[in-house]
Amino acid sequence: MGIVEILKGRLKVPGEVEIGYIEGDGIGAEVIPQAIRVVDRAVELTYEDKSIEWVELKAGKKALKERGSLLPEETIERIAELKVALKGPLETPVGSGHRSLNVALRKTLDLYANVRPVQYYGAPTPFEYADKVDFIIFRENTEDVYSGIEWKAWSEGAGKVREFLRREFGIEVREDSGIGVKPISKFATQRLMRKALQWAVEKGRKRVTVMHKGNIMKFTEGAFREWAYEVAEREFSEFVSIGERKPGKILVDDRIADNMFQQIIIRPWEYDVIVTPNLNGDYISDAAAALVGGVGMAAGLNVGDTVALAEPVHGTAPDIAGKRIANPSAAILSGALLLEYIGWSKGAELIRKALRETISAGKVTADLSKGGKALSTEEFTAEVIKAMEVLG
Ligand code: NAP
């Protein structure tokens, strides 16, 4: 038994590897164990000499109860040590209470790219072009308005910021305003774009589109666009063509955020890799997931230079938590992303094929059943495993 190591920038994965997992809050505790069942069986069916030893790490309500902290230091340390983990959603109260544990984890471990593939698995959907959806969103994960630099209306901090803006720049901000800051750096933009372009080159993708609102926010989102192009031109010139299609080259272009939302609906087949700041990335991910059946289908991988944390796009879904009806597909597909990341791609492929077969055969959870017969979380997982056994 060993752990993933990084040697000269490349992953070295032992045949029997320890991988971390966090169940998470709400439906996390229902879907993550099911994803683990599927991943284990997929590995068993595709490799004779490989297996995963899952190491439970605590975060969220479970950690608060058992360790007295929502995000114990040892959890972060252990993820950094194991380098790869699967994570369920963690609750973040709106407006008051603690800051997002997810944001804290991504920032502390410097998981700067949130990679979200959106693909169709045969779920019933009113969207005519669902089977043409196949893109990957690269969402910046560490800055933008998510940085948590904000002050409550009427607070001392907001007062000082207002006063500073008035004194230094002659800018008036209403007294009853909450104030937030939106930092977007060249460094964070370029390392994200670099990762997206590397991915596009390795996976043979045809187009990388920068999604931004640079027409309005010129020095943050506008700069994001400029800095992203700069990386494409400077570091990937032999692979890309900027702004126009050329045979054998990856087209690199950009779209303004609002237009991007309609583009993925009216001509989804044209888009491939979408690179975008944090908040845009959050919004477009759910919208894109809706095209292929909803957030119950959307997987994600948070990656930095040394650590990767796979997690479903959805949250804790408090309305259905505890009912054992949640769709585990997003968690299962996050498990597949994790396998692909460590190079066990045959396992990932088997999972995806089995999921496609199961859902296309109409075996689905309540979110996809449109009032028809729905399977429970466990029943659905059992069907996916059965399909893997037939295919594997
Ligand atoms: P959400 O948990 O994603 O749920 C939104 C709705 O989507 C649910 O009410 C449910 O809707 C449906 N849904 C989500 N996942 C599903 C699944 N696997 N199977 C079936 N249906 C599913 O979003 P939210 O209600 O905005 O957020 C709830 C909490 O989660 C908040 O505290 C938020 O901060 C947190 N959150 C955490 C993460 C994370 O840890 N990465 C991500 C997002 C949100 P219906 O039953 O109404 O169809």
Side-chain angles (χ1 to χ4, degrees):
M1 194 59 62
I3 62 171
V4 171
E5 309 226 37
I6 297 184
L7 297 174
K8 293 189 181 148
R10 301 189 78 87
L11 291 195
K12 189 165 169 277
V13 184
E16 291 176 9
V17 64
E18 282 183 88
I19 288 186
Y21 77 97
I22 294 171
E23 270 189 1
D25 299 323
I27 59 168
E30 293 159 54
V31 296
I32 294 297
Q34 302 307 319
I36 288 176
R37 269 176 75 194
V38 173
V39 169
D40 280 344
R41 191 69 184 119
V43 172
E44 222 168 59
L45 288 165
T46 47
Y47 297 98
E48 276 173 15
D49 54 348
K50 297 190 193 304
S51 66
I52 296 175
E53 167 115 352
W54 295 93
V55 180
E56 183 169 12
L57 308 169
K58 306 279 167 63
K61 287 183 177 159
K62 201 168 180 180
L64 185 65
K65 200 164 148 207
E66 293 176 21
R67 307 277 154 88
S69 159
L70 284 163
L71 188 56
E73 201 53 44
E74 69 192 74
T75 296
I76 295 178
E77 282 166 11
R78 212 54 185 115
I79 298 174
E81 185 192 354
L82 296 171
K83 294 182 204 68
V84 182
L86 176 64
K87 170 189 161 295
L90 296 167
E91 186 185 295
T92 311
V94 178
S96 59
H98 65 81
R99 286 209 173 277
S100 168
L101 302 177
N102 303 300
V103 175
L105 265 174
R106 292 169 193 164
K107 283 194 83 165
T108 315
L109 295 165
D110 203 21
L111 304 170
Y112 58 82
N114 194 327
V115 184
R116 296 177 160 183
V118 187
Q119 254 186 323
Y120 184 56
Y121 285 91
T125 161
F127 183 51
E128 195 184 339
Y129 302 142
D131 61 343
K132 298 187 169 55
V133 172
D134 181 10
F135 35 75
I136 304 187
I137 297 163
F138 275 73
R139 168 187 175 194
E140 204 290 321
N141 230 0
T142 62
E143 44 182 39
D144 198 352
V145 285
Y146 275 65
S147 303
I149 312 170
E150 57 175 9
W151 295 272
K152 203 172 172 175
W154 299 287
S155 67
E156 190 189 339
K160 283 185 180 166
V161 175
R162 280 179 40 248
E163 171 52 29
F164 175 77
L165 291 173
R166 180 183 309 119
R167 195 181 59 236
E168 296 294 322
F169 300 106
I171 294 170
E172 290 296 332
V173 174
R174 280 181 60 97
E175 191 190 358
D176 54 352
S177 303
I179 301 177
V181 175
K182 177 184 173 79
I184 291 207
S185 69
K186 181 173 179 177
F187 171 77
T189 302
Q190 295 202 327
R191 66 179 178 173
L192 175 76
M193 183 65 173
R194 194 171 293 120
K195 201 148 222 109
L197 285 166
Q198 275 161 358
W199 186 289
V201 170
E202 275 165 27
K203 310 268 178 196
R205 291 281 176 161
K206 303 281 183 287
R207 181 175 184 176
V208 174
T209 305
V210 178
M211 171 190 177
H212 61 90
K213 192 75 186 162
N215 53 330
I216 304 299
M217 293 167 273
K218 297 188 191 303
F219 306 128
T220 50
E221 304 237 348
F224 181 91
R225 170 185 175 276
E226 249 171 65
W227 292 327
Y229 273 130
E230 202 178 282
V231 171
E233 266 167 7
R234 203 180 51 213
E235 298 174 29
F236 292 84
S237 59
E238 62 176 299
F239 302 106
V240 304
S241 162
I242 312 274
E244 57 173 328
R245 284 184 196 276
K246 284 198 185 144
K249 300 274 183 185
I250 299 168
L251 167 66
V252 175
D253 62 354
D254 70 280
R255 288 283 175 273
I256 290 176
D258 33 347
N259 181 21
M260 191 80 239
F261 272 87
Q262 67 134 356
Q263 290 292 325
I264 63 165
I265 295 169
I266 61 175
R267 45 178 87 97
W269 55 88
E270 286 200 358
Y271 293 91
D272 206 352
V273 178
I274 298 170
V275 184
T276 192
N278 211 335
L279 183 63
N280 295 339
D282 193 15
Y283 292 158
I284 196 94
S285 298
D286 274 32
L291 304 179
V292 293
V295 284
M297 295 304 303
L301 186 73
N302 299 288
V303 265
D305 291 328
T306 55
V307 176
L309 197 60
E311 65 172 336
V313 168
H314 63 72
T316 58
D319 57 331
I320 55 168
K323 296 183 180 164
R324 313 197 82 78
I325 58 168
N327 183 353
S329 299
I332 292 172
L333 287 169
S334 301
L337 273 176
L338 186 154
L339 285 183
E340 200 169 34
Y341 177 79
I342 62 169
W344 299 6
S345 301
K346 280 195 282 178
E349 263 323 293
L350 180 61
I351 292 175
R352 293 189 182 118
K353 268 193 203 145
L355 202 68
R356 193 164 282 125
E357 290 242 343
T358 308
I359 296 175
S360 304
K363 295 169 187 166
V364 290
T365 42
D367 55 323
L368 303 181
S369 73
K370 307 284 172 241
K373 180 174 161 37
L375 302 179
S376 71
T377 309
E378 281 88 353
E379 286 166 346
F380 176 80
T381 307
E383 290 295 341
V384 175
I385 291 174
K386 230 192 280 173
M388 286 199 307
E389 286 165 349
V390 173
L391 289 162

